[in-house]
Structures are given as structure tokens and as C-alpha cells.
Amino acid sequence: MSYDVVVVGGGPVGLMLACELRLGGASVVVLERLTEIDPTIKAGALNTPSVEALYRRGLLPALKEAHDRTLELMATFMRGRAPAEGPRRTPPRFAGHFAGMMLSADRLDADDPDLSGHGPAAEIGLVSQQQLEQILSVRAAELGVEVRRGVEVTGFTDDGERVTVTTTGGPVHGHWLVGCDGGRSTVRKLAGFEFPGTDPEITAYQAVAEMEGTEHLGVGWQATPTGVYSHGPVPGRILVARFDGVARSGADRTAPVTPEELQDAVRYVTGADVVVKEIRTATRFTDNARQAATYRLGRVLLAGDAAHVHSPFGGQGLNLGLGDAVNLGWKLAAVVRGQAQEGLLDTYTRERHPIGAWVLDWTRAQIALMRPDAHARAARAVVADLIETVAGTTYFVKKISGVWQRYDMPGDSGHPLVGRSAPDYEFEDGSRLADHLHDGRGLLVRQSGSRFGGTVVDGYGDRVTTVTTAIHDPHAPAALLVRPDGFVAWAEDPDGADAEGLANALETWFGAPADVPAALR
């Protein structure tokens, strides 16, 4: 069979991309070398843009269920650590960490506009990578995505018209190929993408294990004379980062982490005589930080860890990959359908590459402040002082949560919403903006009585939904155009002042109107 798009990699990024492509009308197959969901402990939380993207596709109930299960596990861990007697102190509300320095939601600036307008998405985040992969697997099946497990890619050819992928299960043909196959991406290597960056200097471990002697460990993030570690917030979870070099007893980086190796690292970093009895899941990682110079070469594209690798500190990796998938999916589907020129795909690298570069530097900065040498610890103390302030906590939380992210839009009118994730406005019928994005189409929202749109949007009825309503927000614009990924492409406050700007934005992101003859598009 031949498909519009072949996606290599069936983790959360590959599945999210496949779902977006199917919503956009493209045929897609996902090739995954593993036969089951990888149980190895990985990312444990989603940031605001990720939750917003999933919420806009109708997946909020599933996310909330997973979030609540995680809260139950955290409560179990804290009960096990509670003192046998004496009053129980209520810990501050956790809002993330930077270089292992905890951020308290109690110190956030509640009036900061970037922290408002996210609707129910702002209340959810504690969803693990495995939980998300299960949610997206169900979603992919509902949408008719074909997922082939136990299939490994061995090569491909790109003749300029289509891509032929050779696999252990036979050849697969597609017009486009997207590598979502992780940091050691086969697609990236075979395609010849440049992958510059910085070499690793540390070794770290994250695990859920049965251990003895953990009563001597602190809860949460702790800095020690030999590194940093985090204990909890769920039973058996430990993360240790040691700063004495990358090589660990000559161990193969791809080999499973043994109880002896984990125990040695825990004891070295914590100074406690912890005994690792059994490992339930564990991973070994470094601070290797690299990014593809471009995310597209011909008919081959990259997303997720295939496009960028870095240490997981700050929980940015999974979220960065999901952002790639949501940004690319609707654009590639539009090109496949012939409703957009291939030039639309150039905006994928242009919009996502700067955010990826920021994440790499964000993780590098954390590594620098985690080092146990005197200079790093002095800098860490300065940053710790800043974090203790309202302005400091607000700054770091905004960065970690992703609410700062913005794309430069062509023809930007200067409206403060343009290029940003759309606020989750509540409409007069009780629905919210996210409710109108479930189908993956664009959305034009006009305030009741607005003259915006009119015949300008008539030729886009197959790509853009128009909603005329009252918005329960006095600061809402008179009208706004939202791309399928939830980012605002155009907005205007003075009623009727920028019909030309709307027309340009529609054509930029959704192609020529349907009534234009195909020969002239």
C-alpha cells in the first residue's frame, strides 16, 4: 500500500502527529520497532501548551483521569514519609523546579496575564509518558490510524515524488516520511541531517526501584557535595546525577541499568547506604545536547527527540516533541490535500527550531548550576535567592510551563494575541474556544454584531469554522482567527478595521479560497 505520510516511531510524538494528520485528511501509517508501549520511566508531566493541544482535541477527560491517578500515588508516597507523631506540615504547592531548586506556586504573581486564560488546561499536568502514549493509542485507533508494531526501519529512498521505506516487514511507500524515532533516530542518520551540539559530561539515572535505607534520604530535590538527587514524589522513584564523568565502569549505554550500577550511583550522590533490592524500571541518561540544523530535507522531516536531544531536567523533552507534532501535523496534511503549497512546511522549522534551541540552553543552564564545584554553587545560591521572590518564581514558572511561547506571524498586525496560543474564551452558549477545535480545522470567532469576516471567509468553509458569539471576557478582541494548532493567526479590536489583514492571514495559513480556479492557485 501507499500512504500520504509514513511516520517512523510510535511513541507519544509519532502518535500525536499521526492523529493530527488523520484529522487533516491524510492517510498515514506508523512504524514502531517495539511490540508494546515502552515501560521505561521517562517524562512525568505535561506543560501548558501540551495540555492545551490535547484539550483542544477532546482529550481532557482522559488526561484528568491520568492526572488524578498520579496524585493518588503522590499521596501514598507522602503518607509513607509522614512522621509517626507530631503535626503534619502542609507543603507549598509545587510549580516545578529549576536545576533542582523548587518553585512554589504560593509565590506566583496571580495578576500576570500570561498565567491566565488557559481554562481547564491550567489544572492538569501530572501525566506520565506511558499514560499519554496509552491515551494517544486509543485516539489513533478511533481515527483509523494504522500502527504497525514490531517493524524496524532499515533504509529508505526519496525520488522527489515519493519515499520508499525498507523495513523488516517489507517495503512501505509514502509521499512523505517523518522521523519520530527518538534521539538515536535512524531516519535522521539515513537522511543526513546535520546534528550539531555539545558533548555529554555527566551521567544520571532515573528509576523506580525497591530500596532499603531510603529513610535517610530527603524528599524532593537535594544538592550534595557530589551531585544532585530527587526522591519521590511517587513510591520507589529516585533520580541521581553524578558529576564525575560520563563513562560508568565501561558499561554499554544501551545496556539495562543493573541494581549494582544504580546502587553505586545513589550511594555516591546521596552519601546514604541505600540498598537497591530490585529495579522495576530505570534509565541512564547524559547531558548530550544536539539539534538538527533544519527539520526538513526534501520529503523527509523530523519531530521530537529525532530533531533535538538534551537532558530531561525541567521536563521539557516530551512537551517539545508534542509541540512539534501539533505544529507540523495540520500543515503537512494541508500540503497532502493540495490546499497549501510546500512552502507552508518551511514555517515548521522557522517556528519550532527557536523553541528547541531555547530548550537546549535551558537544560544546559541547569546542568551548570547543578555542578558541585564552588563557582557553580555560588551561582546557584544567587539564583536560589531570586527564586525566593515573587518576580523570580513567576519568571521561572512561565518559562517552564511554556506559556511564553510565541510564533512570529507574517503580516503581524501588532495585536498582542497574534502568534500566541489562543485564550480559552467562554462563549455565550457555555462552550469554550477549545470545544470548537476538536475537528482540527481553523476557527474564526466573531463577537456578536461584528462585521469581521463577511464574504472574506466564504471560500474557506471546508477548512475554517466560523462562530459568531458573545465572549465572556471584556478584553477579548472583536474577532480572531485561530490556526488548527490553537495559535492566533490574526486578531483585531476595532470592528471592521482590518478585513485585508484577515484575507491575507486566511490565504497564508489555509491556502487560496475554494472559489479560485485551481489553475490560478
Side-chain angles (χ1 to χ4, degrees):
M1 293 183 64
S2 182
Y3 301 85
D4 292 324
V5 184
V6 178
V7 175
V8 179
V13 175
L15 290 173
M16 186 74 187
L17 175 63
C19 290
E20 291 296 287
L21 288 165
R22 283 298 301 135
L23 275 180
S27 61
V28 57
V29 61
V30 177
L31 308 178
E32 169 54 52
R33 65 179 181 83
L34 298 179
T35 57
E36 302 290 342
I37 293 176
D38 186 358
T40 305
I41 184 170
K42 295 181 181 178
L46 299 177
N47 67 6
T48 300
S50 295
V51 179
E52 285 180 325
L54 296 158
Y55 168 38
R56 289 164 178 158
R57 298 300 184 254
L59 297 175
L60 192 69
L63 291 179
K64 186 177 188 309
E65 182 179 344
H67 175 90
D68 289 345
R69 287 201 303 270
T70 302
L71 286 178
E72 291 174 6
L73 286 173
M74 293 172 67
T76 299
F77 173 78
M78 294 307 296
R79 284 195 295 270
R81 298 286 301 190
E85 53 185 272
R88 184 177 298 177
R89 184 176 64 88
T90 302
R93 292 184 298 138
F94 179 62
H97 79 90
F98 182 75
M101 290 175 279
M102 307 297 276
L103 300 166
S104 170
D106 297 332
R107 279 196 299 268
L108 282 174
D109 179 0
D111 297 324
D112 191 299
D114 289 338
L115 297 175
S116 62
H118 302 287
E123 305 301 321
I124 292 177
L126 298 174
V127 179
S128 72
Q129 184 159 327
Q130 286 81 5
Q131 289 173 318
L132 177 61
E133 190 169 337
Q134 182 59 47
I135 291 169
L136 290 174
S137 294
V138 173
R139 175 65 166 167
E142 292 172 348
L143 292 172
V145 173
E146 182 179 349
V147 179
R148 300 187 191 178
R149 287 192 168 272
V151 176
E152 189 164 357
V153 171
T154 57
F156 74 85
T157 57
D158 176 3
D159 64 10
E161 295 292 331
R162 72 173 187 169
V163 179
T164 299
V165 183
T166 55
T167 79
T168 54
V172 181
H173 306 286
H175 291 287
W176 297 88
L177 171 64
V178 186
C180 301
D181 49 340
R184 299 185 179 94
S185 171
T186 298
V187 172
R188 184 189 67 237
K189 294 173 183 176
L190 291 173
F193 283 85
E194 294 182 16
F195 203 48
T198 51
D199 294 331
E201 298 179 0
I202 72 163
T203 300
Y205 302 84
Q206 182 175 202
V208 175
E210 181 183 341
M211 298 177 286
E212 293 179 353
T214 57
E215 66 272 13
H216 303 298
L217 302 181
V219 174
W221 284 93
Q222 310 287 330
T224 76
T226 51
V228 295
Y229 73 91
S230 177
H231 182 213
V234 296
R237 189 259 187 178
I238 186 77
L239 186 153
V240 292
R242 55 191 302 167
F243 288 76
D244 58 341
V246 176
R248 294 267 58 84
S249 305
D252 179 358
R253 280 189 57 219
T254 63
V257 177
T258 64
E260 293 77 18
E261 183 181 0
L262 178 62
Q263 178 176 291
D264 177 64
V266 172
R267 289 184 174 188
Y268 176 82
V269 174
T270 68
D273 290 330
V274 172
V275 177
V276 177
K277 307 282 288 183
E278 180 184 357
I279 291 178
R280 299 193 184 99
T281 176
T283 184
R284 179 193 306 107
F285 63 89
T286 72
D287 58 329
N288 181 38
R290 298 185 177 278
Q291 183 181 27
T294 178
Y295 291 177
R296 178 194 174 196
L297 288 176
R299 291 187 168 270
V300 183
L301 301 107
L302 303 177
D305 289 349
H308 34 69
V309 296
H310 50 85
S311 75
F313 294 117
Q316 298 294 321
L318 172 60
N319 296 293
L320 181 59
L322 290 174
D324 293 345
V326 174
N327 186 285
L328 174 61
W330 67 275
K331 295 175 181 177
L332 185 52
V335 171
V336 164
R337 293 196 316 268
Q339 292 178 329
Q341 300 294 319
E342 284 190 24
L344 180 63
L345 297 178
D346 295 336
T347 67
Y348 171 52
T349 296
R350 188 167 70 236
E351 292 180 347
R352 295 302 300 171
H353 198 277
I355 295 177
W358 174 86
V359 168
L360 263 65
D361 280 345
W362 187 254
T363 59
R364 289 183 181 115
Q366 292 182 80
I367 293 294
L369 291 176
M370 288 178 173
R371 296 184 184 283
D373 64 84
H375 293 86
R377 289 296 162 90
R380 183 184 182 90
V382 173
V383 175
D385 281 346
L386 291 174
I387 285 177
E388 291 295 318
T389 68
V390 170
T393 291
T394 302
Y395 167 82
F396 282 103
V397 169
K398 285 168 62 172
K399 292 294 187 180
I400 292 171
S401 66
V403 299
W404 62 273
Q405 295 178 13
R406 182 183 185 278
Y407 299 143
D408 289 331
M409 297 284 182
D412 185 348
S413 64
H415 193 284
L417 285 181
V418 173
R420 295 189 176 275
S421 181
D424 191 36
Y425 291 125
E426 183 178 357
F427 299 158
E428 61 183 339
D429 63 357
S431 67
R432 304 188 73 97
L433 185 142
D435 298 326
H436 298 271
L437 291 170
H438 289 188
D439 57 7
R441 291 157 52 93
L443 177 66
L444 175 66
V445 181
R446 304 185 300 185
Q447 292 261 36
S448 300
S450 170
R451 299 191 302 276
F452 274 129
T455 58
V456 175
V457 77
D458 288 347
Y460 294 92
D462 59 335
R463 285 157 276 176
V464 179
T465 300
T466 300
V467 174
T468 302
T469 183
I471 300 177
H472 295 324
D473 186 326
H475 305 294
L480 70 161
L481 177 66
V482 183
R483 304 190 318 188
D485 59 358
F487 280 75
V488 178
W490 168 91
E492 193 63 60
D493 286 327
D495 191 6
D498 191 25
E500 183 179 355
L502 173 58
N504 290 338
L506 284 165
E507 189 156 0
T508 295
W509 300 111
F510 299 98
D515 58 349
V516 175
L520 300 178
R521 294 179 189 172

